[in-house]
């Protein structure tokens, strides 16, 4: 019974980590256009009302990601950066799937 509970807790933890990884990737891909928008006044361009709405939306997305960034700005946070990049690497899951397909094809 104890072993079954441990396995269930681990599965739940891995599912939670996977969900958070996908959420973080989805949000980070949405923030790509923020820097060009922020640089418009510096490049002697004015923000349109649509630009201002987009900036608000982007900053709101970034504020939702703040728990992840807190880990990076804490002392020693850059030591976590390699683990975070490994966790976010989408190629890692593709490689694992390709290896399992190769193994099942050989059997």
């Amino acid at each position: 019974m104890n072993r079954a509970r441990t396995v269930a807790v681990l599965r739940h933890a891995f599912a939670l980590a996977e969900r958070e990884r996908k959420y973080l990737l989805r949000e980070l891909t949405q923030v790509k256009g923020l820097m060009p928008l922020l640089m418009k006044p510096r490049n002697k361009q004015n923000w349109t009302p649509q630009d201002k709405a987009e900036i608000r939306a982007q900053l709101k997305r970034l504020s939702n990601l703040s728990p992840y960034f807190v880990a990076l700005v804490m002392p020693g946070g850059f030591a976590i950066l390699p683990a975070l990049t490994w966790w976010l690497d989408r190629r890692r899951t593709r490689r694992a799937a390709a290896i399992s397909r190769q193994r099942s094809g050989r059997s």
Side-chain angles (χ1 to χ4, degrees):
M1 185 74 170
N2 192 16
R3 179 173 161 72
R5 181 162 172 78
T6 303
V7 170
V9 167
L10 285 174
R11 282 188 184 149
H12 179 70
F14 284 124
L16 177 66
E18 182 65 16
R19 186 186 77 212
E20 288 297 311
R21 183 183 71 82
K22 287 179 181 176
Y23 168 75
L24 185 58
L25 282 170
R26 190 172 52 247
E27 289 300 315
L28 286 174
T29 58
Q30 295 296 317
V31 179
K32 284 184 181 176
L34 182 60
M35 283 308 289
L37 280 176
L38 292 175
M39 290 295 127
K40 272 190 166 186
R42 187 172 179 128
N43 294 330
K44 301 196 180 11
Q45 298 174 352
N46 293 324
W47 284 325
T48 65
Q50 293 86 6
D51 290 340
K52 290 178 183 179
E54 181 66 24
I55 290 170
R56 277 189 216 101
Q58 298 281 12
L59 292 176
K60 192 173 187 178
R61 281 190 189 111
L62 283 175
S63 70
N64 291 336
L65 298 177
S66 63
Y68 297 103
F69 294 124
V70 166
L72 294 176
V73 297
M74 287 175 31
F78 284 105
I80 297 171
L81 193 57
L84 182 64
T85 56
W86 173 83
W87 184 57
L88 291 174
D89 186 10
R90 289 179 271 184
R91 295 173 298 177
R92 174 177 51 95
T93 55
R94 287 188 215 138
R95 282 188 221 117
I99 290 170
S100 68
R101 280 194 304 269
Q102 287 175 349
R103 288 181 183 164
S104 64
R106 291 180 188 168
S107 299

